[in-house]
Amino acid sequence: SIRQCCYNKNFDLCNECSDFPCETLKSNPGVIKFRCIENLQEIKQKGLREWIDRQWKNYVTEPIEQ
């Protein structure tokens, strides 16, 4: 239902919506467990590229073999 809501509103991410964070997000156990609201707020503030760069630096500890 979260994906469908974004799709129906023509958004890529929930944080583009004026209702963000909505009750659907706030009450979803998966959203809470994986800190999605906090991540989406950070993406909104800093931009997706900076957020991805920070995630990469924080969580990728070994080089990826090609």
Side-chain angles (χ1 to χ4, degrees):
S1 67
I2 294 171
R3 288 185 194 150
Q4 191 65 42
C5 180
C6 275
Y7 178 80
N8 290 340
K9 294 178 180 182
N10 203 27
F11 294 141
D12 292 320
L13 299 170
C14 293
N15 64 6
E16 298 171 50
C17 183
S18 62
D19 294 331
F20 175 78
C22 66
E23 288 304 315
T24 301
L25 290 176
K26 290 179 186 177
S27 63
N28 184 295
V31 169
I32 296 165
K33 179 178 180 178
F34 295 105
R35 301 186 62 238
C36 294
I37 292 174
E38 292 87 349
N39 287 329
L40 287 166
Q41 287 170 329
E42 186 176 346
I43 291 167
K44 190 172 187 174
Q45 292 170 349
K46 297 180 180 181
L48 184 58
R49 181 62 189 210
E50 187 174 326
W51 183 83
I52 290 171
D53 288 345
R54 189 179 70 73
Q55 295 297 307
W56 187 262
K57 289 174 188 169
N58 287 344
Y59 298 108
V60 177
T61 57
E62 306 227 356
I64 296 173
E65 293 182 27
Q66 295 185 2

